[in-house]
Each structure stands twice: as structure tokens, then as C-alpha cells.
Amino acid sequence: MQEQLFSKRNCEISLEEIFRAYFDCRKNKRNKKDSIKFELNFESEVIRLWNEINSRSYEISPLDVFVIKRPVKREIFAAKFRDRIVHHFIINKINYLFEKEFIFDTYSCRKGKGTHFGIRRINKFIRQCSHNYKKECWVLKLDIKGFFMHINKGILLSKINQFIIEKYKEKDVDNILWLCQKTINNNPKNNCKFKSFKKEWVSLPKSKSLFFSPDNTGLPVGNYTNQIFANFYLNSLDHFIKSKIRFRYYGRYVDDLVLIDNDKEKLKESIVLIQDFLSKNLKLTINPRKIYFQQYFKGVEFLGCYILPYRIYISKRAKGSFFNSIQKHNNVLERNKKPKEEEIDLFRSSLNSYLGLMSHYNTKKLRNKMLSMVNKNMKLIALFSTLW
């Protein structure tokens, strides 16, 4: 009996790791109603969560679902704060193993990478492949149709189970496997709470909503684990493109794929090969409306920028979204001369996001022009003056 208890304790997830996940989770979520409620008695709440995980009585709470309109219209399922702690815990435990498997040029949700890194890499690839814009080369950009909504849970779970069993050597492996299964198999539509009017879904394409996804298919956009799991789901495609059909210049951000080569026919043939691989192995398909295939000097739009020889522009969509954001908040200020703190925070966050993107490129005149359009409310002027 004592040996059984000792063995069970050795396999348990440590309380320290759950607290670490809690502190990671709360960094950017402390002003949310859900997180505030949890933090009122966070020590006992974390301990309760820890006990539930080790006893396998942990259950996932119903998710909030809403529609966002910027930068594109999208359906978001948001997990409760305690479930986000579990997401951080899972990623803290296994992400370092994923990192060893990913190719270098996968940019999404990776430390030291991201959108700006991806833009610089694709720009570098075009320059190298074209021999500093002196030799002909072609750019192929592909997009996977309704990616998150069509991820096959059975395939994903099988891949993750096999990967963890082979690579993860800690004693709590069974609990990690159980948590991954619990998270992936959870149906976000069950008892979800609508935070947007249902009419918002009318103009949302069915391929972008889990409510129209086949059974056992689709992961909610918004969950931290799902963004990492999605990277892992396409990892085999990355290796197929790099090692099997042998493209040196290739990068991916989520489901946006960019291939660059001097051989026009090889790029054309790769579309069929990639589609065949996606269909047979991952039950996915290329979006036929989003196949971009042009010579490099005509430019390529990637991650909110337009990459051309010798220069990178902010895309028209990004500029339009920035303009619309300013107009929206100006309208709020016109209606309410004393905006609420949350409105100010939202405005400041939006400004920081767009200015942060634009600051990486030669956009000083454009930034000044956009900021000159902001309502001259002294409180807001004082707030965003720190952005410089």
C-alpha cells in the first residue's frame, strides 16, 4: 500500500508548476472580471485546481463566444481564467519539445519570432533567391481553407499522444496526456455563453465558425494551447515541403505559406503536391481563392505588410484598419466628452498595436498623419504622448 501511494505521488503534477502557470497566465489578464474573481482567493483556488488535476476530477468550464471585426471578422471562444492556467501549464511542460521539432521558419507563437521576424525572413528569402533582385524568381503564397475550423481532433490527438510518449520523459506523463486529451476533445459549443448578438454570425462564412464544423473537427481560435497545437499539426507539412519537395526558401505563419524559387514550373507543381499531402494526411484543403503566384518584383502581401524590392510597405488593409479604429474611438469621444477608463485603455491599446507594427518600417509620415486625426482630448493626448 505504501509503495502504491509513493508511486502515485511521484506521478503527480507539482503544485509549484501550477502556481508558475498561474503567474504566467495573469500577466496580461489581471483586469478581466473572471481573473479578478479568481485572484480574490488565488492561493486556495490554485490549490483546488491542482487537486482536481491530480485526482482527474478537473472539468473545463463553458466558454464565452463572440465575434470580432478587426482585422478580419472572426469567431472567438474564450476560456475561463482557471482553464487558461491549465493551458499555460500544458505549454510550459511540452513546448520545449515542440521547439526541437519545428523548422526554423515557422513564425507564429514562438519566442524571438512572430510577425516582424517572419516579414524580414520572407524579404531576405526574396532577395537571396533573386540574387539581390538581378535574377528572376517567383513567389507562391498559399492559405489553408478554414484552418482552425477543420483541424481533425483525432489526427491531432494521435500525433500528440505519439509525440509525448516518445519524447516526454517526466514521471507525470500520464497526467500530461490526460490533460491534452481533455483539452483537445472538449466541445467548445457545449453550454457556451454568447457575448455577441447572434446576428453577427449571419455574415460570417461557415468555414470560419465552429458551429458549422463537422463532428470531431475544429479548435477554437483564442485558446493558447490551440495556437501551439495548430503549429504542431502542420509540422509534418513543413518538413514535407523542406525535405521531400525540397524548397530552400519557405516560411509559414499559422496557415499562411510562402514558397520562393527560381523554377516557375516547380512552384506550380508544388501546389498539387501540397494539396495532396494536406488532403491525405491532415484532412485539410488549400483555399483556391487565396493562391497568389507572381514574379517577385510585383510584391507579396504578408502579415500586414507588402514586400517589394528594396522596400516594405504597410498593407492597405492595415492602414484602413488603423483609420477605422481612430474613427471609431473619435465617435465615442464625441458622444461622451469624459470617456470611461476602459474606453481609454482600449483606445490606447489599439494605438499601441498599430504604431508598434508601423514603427518597424519607414512610416513616420504616415504615423504623424494618423495621430493628427485623433480627437484632441487632453487626457488621451497625455496618454499616447508616451508612445513616442
Side-chain angles (χ1 to χ4, degrees):
M1 181 66 177
Q2 287 181 342
E3 289 180 357
Q4 288 178 341
L5 289 173
F6 180 75
S7 176
K8 182 181 178 182
R9 283 196 298 270
N10 273 350
C11 294
E12 282 186 349
I13 288 165
S14 74
L15 179 59
E16 179 185 357
E17 288 175 315
I18 301 298
F19 267 105
R20 187 183 305 128
Y22 158 72
F23 286 117
D24 289 341
C25 183
R26 79 174 191 169
K27 286 178 182 177
N28 299 314
K29 301 290 183 180
R30 299 193 70 179
N31 61 339
K32 303 295 183 181
K33 183 179 178 180
D34 185 34
S35 59
I36 292 171
K37 182 179 178 181
F38 188 96
E39 289 208 46
L40 290 174
N41 199 14
F42 78 91
E43 289 184 342
S44 61
E45 288 291 340
V46 171
I47 292 170
R48 183 162 70 93
L49 180 60
W50 171 65
N51 282 322
E52 287 178 11
I53 292 171
N54 281 319
S55 66
R56 300 200 180 178
S57 61
Y58 164 69
E59 295 292 341
I60 298 172
S61 304
L63 282 72
D64 295 334
V65 60
F66 51 92
V67 172
I68 60 171
K69 298 180 180 180
R70 296 281 184 258
V72 294
K73 196 166 189 179
R74 181 175 294 170
E75 174 187 88
I76 301 292
F77 280 86
K80 294 292 186 279
F81 186 76
R82 73 192 313 263
D83 297 320
R84 292 200 297 270
I85 294 172
V86 175
H87 298 165
H88 278 269
F89 168 74
I90 292 171
I91 299 307
N92 285 348
K93 294 293 284 185
I94 62 177
N95 196 45
Y96 75 99
L97 295 172
F98 287 152
E99 284 293 325
K100 294 178 182 179
E101 293 294 311
F102 292 156
I103 66 168
F104 184 81
D105 284 288
T106 301
Y107 313 123
S108 175
C109 297
R110 299 183 68 187
K111 188 175 181 179
K113 297 192 177 179
T115 56
H116 304 305
F117 182 87
I119 292 165
R120 290 195 299 270
R121 286 289 288 179
I122 297 302
N123 183 50
K124 180 181 178 181
F125 287 165
I126 292 172
R127 191 176 69 251
Q128 289 180 335
C129 188
S130 65
H131 292 235
N132 283 324
Y133 314 119
K134 296 175 183 176
K135 186 177 180 181
E136 184 177 64
C137 79
W138 297 76
V139 180
L140 172 64
K141 182 183 170 187
L142 303 172
D143 178 272
I144 296 174
K145 187 175 181 180
F147 174 50
F148 272 92
M149 308 307 158
H150 290 88
I151 291 174
N152 186 287
K153 291 185 177 183
I155 294 174
L156 174 61
L157 193 56
S158 176
K159 284 177 173 287
I160 285 182
N161 283 344
Q162 181 180 355
F163 177 78
I164 291 176
I165 290 170
E166 289 180 359
K167 305 290 184 179
Y168 188 79
K169 303 303 180 184
E170 302 297 325
K171 293 179 179 179
D172 57 4
V173 62
D174 287 340
N175 279 337
I176 301 300
L177 287 168
W178 179 76
L179 280 176
C180 287
Q181 180 179 353
K182 190 87 175 172
T183 302
I184 292 169
N185 283 338
N186 179 58
N187 187 345
K189 295 177 286 186
N190 287 343
N191 302 315
C192 64
K193 298 178 181 178
F194 286 84
K195 298 296 184 180
S196 292
F197 293 113
K198 292 187 178 180
K199 66 180 181 181
E200 296 290 347
W201 274 263
V202 173
S203 59
L204 187 70
K206 291 183 178 180
S207 63
K208 294 183 178 292
S209 174
L210 284 176
F211 293 103
F212 298 99
S213 295
D215 292 339
N216 199 40
T217 301
L219 298 179
V221 176
N223 284 6
Y224 182 38
T225 46
N226 292 344
Q227 296 178 50
I228 308 298
F229 289 163
N231 258 354
F232 179 70
Y233 195 71
L234 290 181
N235 182 56
S236 59
L237 173 67
D238 295 334
H239 286 282
F240 173 74
I241 292 172
K242 292 288 288 184
S243 302
K244 297 297 183 182
I245 53 178
R246 295 184 177 279
F247 279 97
R248 178 182 178 185
Y249 302 115
Y250 164 72
R252 175 174 65 82
Y253 188 93
V254 192
D255 63 331
D256 284 339
L257 288 63
V258 180
L259 298 87
I260 301 149
D261 203 88
N262 304 113
D263 191 335
K264 179 181 178 180
E265 295 305 316
K266 181 182 178 182
L267 280 170
K268 282 185 178 180
E269 292 168 2
S270 72
I271 299 173
V272 177
L273 294 173
I274 292 169
Q275 175 57 73
D276 188 55
F277 182 91
L278 285 170
S279 178
K280 288 181 178 178
N281 297 279
L282 302 174
K283 308 299 182 186
L284 297 171
T285 185
I286 292 171
N287 190 334
R289 296 182 178 180
K290 294 187 178 180
I291 297 175
Y292 174 90
F293 185 50
Q294 292 285 356
Q295 291 167 295
Y296 77 90
F297 58 79
K298 294 185 179 180
V300 59
E301 188 175 344
F302 187 58
L303 304 181
C305 287
Y306 209 77
I307 302 171
L308 286 157
Y310 303 107
R311 60 204 185 277
I312 300 174
Y313 293 136
I314 302 299
S315 71
K316 291 181 180 178
R317 190 174 78 177
K319 287 188 284 188
S321 296
F322 193 8
F323 174 82
N324 290 335
S325 176
I326 291 173
Q327 289 292 92
K328 174 185 174 182
H329 291 289
N330 279 348
N331 291 338
V332 170
L333 291 175
E334 287 175 7
R335 292 194 304 268
N336 183 5
K337 299 301 181 182
K338 294 183 179 179
K340 299 176 182 177
E341 287 296 328
E342 53 265 33
E343 291 173 335
I344 293 173
D345 287 342
L346 184 62
F347 196 7
R348 180 172 53 184
S349 176
S350 178
L351 284 171
N352 275 325
S353 177
Y354 285 110
L355 291 172
L357 168 67
M358 297 168 73
S359 67
H360 289 266
Y361 311 103
N362 187 19
T363 58
K364 186 173 182 179
K365 288 183 179 179
L366 180 60
R367 280 179 279 161
N368 285 331
K369 179 181 177 181
M370 288 295 190
L371 285 174
S372 69
M373 298 167 57
V374 175
N375 186 296
K376 301 299 187 291
N377 180 291
M378 292 306 294
K379 190 171 185 180
L380 284 173
I381 293 292
L383 282 168
F384 68 67
S385 64
T386 60
L387 296 171
W388 300 92

